[in-house]
Amino acid sequence: MIEKLLREDRIILDLKAKDKEGVLREMISVLNLPKDKEDLLFNSLMQREKLGSTGIGKGIAIPHCRSVAVDNITLVIGISKNGVDFESLDGKPVHLLFMLVATPMDPSMQYLTALGNIARIARGLASEESLRTDFSSPKEVIEYLLKFNNE
Amino acid sequence: MNNLKAFLEDLYLLQDLDLLLDQVKDPQYLETFGFTVSDDKIKTLEEKRNDLAKKLRAINPRWYQIYERLRRRYKRGIARVIDDICTNCFVQLPASMTGQNPDELQTCPSCGIILIWID
């Protein structure tokens, strides 16, 4: 499942934004949506964040929502070398973000399955001594993440 | 109906809130991913949802009731049209339904869901 969602053109190797709102905007921008859809998606993601941060600790965050703004389930990966204040559970900056967006209609439970895959990868990453952020290409990121999914 | 576009925008905001509330109240979701959501914040979101619902009901009670009925049936009340297909039932729409009618909300002839066209 997750293999199909990991796309090289949806990986940002060095996020420029420094705060939660800026990072979400930057990650949404790679989807090349019209402005009104971008705003819809941003508002849905922020609405979810207001209920409790999706920064799960160990430098990882999984912002996610369902939204009419997308046609298919969509994953964007963002890497922040300097770290972003995401109001994480452990209070530490976030360096790796998995932004998952699904359509309101999800007949085959893809959304929960994908979230499950991401949670598994995140657990694997959290068990590492330190979180890697020095990737030279999106392909390298995909290979690195899939290693944890297949463990 | 006056200002249908604004009504429709509020309607899919309502749906986003409903879907989000469904999610954060689902024990499987919370347990599997270890996310924490406080009851107070859920209550605040429910109040926001109910305020929006009240506003929509006041503007057009008939369409609001249709949304609520569809929500009970499908867990959502509105669906996008993509490539002339209803994304709730995945049935091709008749050729006469070519886009958003600026004067009236439209429903899928097959499943009845409220349709929206977003480019």
Side-chain angles (χ1 to χ4, degrees):
Chain A
M1 167 84 214
I2 199 79
E3 294 89 338
K4 290 178 186 169
L5 296 179
L6 286 164
R7 284 177 38 172
E8 291 187 30
D9 60 340
R10 291 189 180 158
I11 294 176
I12 304 173
L13 293 178
D14 189 11
L15 287 163
K16 300 285 180 282
K18 305 284 180 216
D19 57 19
K20 183 184 280 194
E21 296 192 7
V23 159
L24 291 177
R25 287 272 186 203
E26 193 176 343
M27 292 180 77
I28 289 169
S29 72
V30 304
L31 299 177
N32 294 316
L33 296 170
K35 180 74 170 65
D36 56 344
K37 280 192 190 174
E38 273 194 1
D39 290 344
L40 269 177
L41 181 50
F42 175 76
N43 290 336
S44 297
L45 287 166
M46 284 305 294
Q47 198 70 253
R48 170 62 188 85
E49 292 299 322
K50 281 178 194 165
L51 288 174
S53 176
T54 59
I56 56 172
K58 305 270 186 184
I60 301 166
I62 314 174
H64 59 277
C65 69
R66 291 180 190 272
S67 174
V68 291
V70 294
D71 295 353
N72 296 298
I73 185 164
T74 302
L75 177 65
V76 179
I77 306 287
I79 295 159
S80 171
K81 289 177 179 161
N82 296 323
V84 181
D85 179 8
F86 219 78
E87 300 158 315
S88 288
L89 295 176
D90 60 3
K92 292 184 179 166
V94 160
H95 293 276
L96 178 59
L97 295 101
F98 298 82
M99 186 184 86
L100 183 71
V101 189
T103 61
M105 183 66 185
D106 183 26
S108 52
M109 301 280 286
Q110 290 182 355
Y111 183 46
L112 287 180
T113 307
L115 269 175
N117 284 172
I118 293 167
R120 180 162 61 231
I121 292 171
R123 277 195 294 274
L125 290 165
S127 67
E128 295 279 281
E129 236 173 72
S130 63
L131 199 58
R132 219 187 124 186
T133 57
D134 59 333
F135 298 96
S136 57
S137 68
K139 191 178 174 198
E140 200 182 347
V141 177
I142 293 174
E143 287 167 357
Y144 178 68
L145 296 178
L146 286 179
K147 190 179 78 176
F148 293 100
N149 188 51
N150 298 330
E151 272 178 359
Chain B
M1 189 193 308
N2 291 329
N3 209 352
L4 176 67
K5 189 169 181 282
F7 182 84
L8 208 46
E9 281 172 3
D10 278 345
L11 200 58
Y12 52 69
L13 176 59
L14 181 70
Q15 174 160 285
D16 272 359
L17 294 176
D18 280 333
L19 290 170
L20 181 56
L21 282 165
D22 287 348
Q23 181 178 67
V24 295
K25 288 176 178 176
D26 178 357
Q28 189 199 351
Y29 164 81
L30 295 173
E31 193 180 308
T32 306
F33 311 114
F35 296 127
T36 50
V37 179
S38 78
D39 290 344
D40 284 351
K41 287 181 178 169
I42 290 180
K43 200 177 163 198
T44 305
L45 188 66
E46 280 174 337
E47 284 167 4
K48 183 176 177 180
R49 186 259 174 224
N50 292 338
D51 288 345
L52 184 59
K54 197 173 164 184
K55 177 184 159 188
L56 289 169
R57 192 166 48 228
I59 295 170
N60 192 315
R62 178 171 156 255
W63 281 108
Y64 175 75
Q65 290 301 332
I66 290 172
Y67 171 81
E68 287 292 354
R69 183 169 46 78
L70 290 163
R71 268 275 300 163
R72 285 194 291 277
R73 188 166 175 191
Y74 299 119
K75 295 190 176 177
R76 61 191 64 76
I78 58 177
R80 271 183 71 195
V81 176
I82 300 175
D83 295 333
D84 299 325
I85 289 172
C86 165
T87 57
N88 187 52
C89 65
F90 299 100
V91 166
Q92 176 106 28
L93 297 173
S96 57
M97 297 181 85
T98 54
Q100 203 79 59
N101 181 333
D103 302 316
E104 183 71 4
L105 289 181
Q106 290 154 283
T107 56
C108 173
S110 172
C111 66
I113 206 145
I114 298 168
L115 296 171
I116 53 165
W117 282 257
I118 309 177
D119 295 330

